[in-house]
Amino acid sequence: MRIKTSISIPEEKIRALDRLIGPQGNRSKAIESAIDDFLRRLEREDRDQKDLEIYAAAEQELEREMEDVLSYQVEV
């Protein structure tokens, strides 16, 4: 389902968009494409942040295991 909405965009940005998409271009499609790209970037950043949190937790666990293993070593 498509929803009609009204947004305010600076005139110079609309002129630049019109220049780039040409006289037969479709502003709505161009703006929708930009929104799609933006949403993908936000989703990727969110996923990356979650991955970093997982890696940090795993790193802490590995450090504890390493300290435990090292505590059993005896100097010769």
Side-chain angles (χ1 to χ4, degrees), residues 54-71:
I54 291 169
Y55 297 149
E59 179 183 26
Q60 291 172 358
E61 178 61 26
L62 287 172
E63 285 178 4
R64 282 192 294 273
E65 289 178 14
M66 181 184 66
E67 288 172 3
D68 183 53
V69 167
L70 291 174
S71 71

Side-chain angles (χ1 to χ4, degrees), residues 6-73:
S6 175
I7 60 173
S8 297
I9 298 174
E11 186 177 340
E12 64 273 4
K13 290 184 182 186
I14 292 297
R15 281 195 204 135
L17 176 62
D18 288 345
R19 182 175 42 80
L20 291 170
I21 64 175
Q24 303 300 321
N26 183 320
R27 270 189 203 161
S28 292
K29 284 185 181 180
I31 292 170
E32 183 178 0
S33 176
I35 291 170
D36 288 341
D37 290 345
F38 180 70
L39 291 173
R40 276 192 296 275
R41 189 184 95 212
L42 290 178
E43 288 169 351
R44 184 177 56 248
E45 288 173 359
D46 184 58
R47 185 188 62 239
D48 290 350
Q49 181 60 40
K50 288 176 182 171
D51 286 347
L52 288 173
E53 291 168 6
I54 291 169
Y55 297 149
E59 179 183 26
Q60 291 172 358
E61 178 61 26
L62 287 172
E63 285 178 4
R64 282 192 294 273
E65 289 178 14
M66 181 184 66
E67 288 172 3
D68 183 53
V69 167
L70 291 174
S71 71
Y72 289 101
Q73 290 186 348

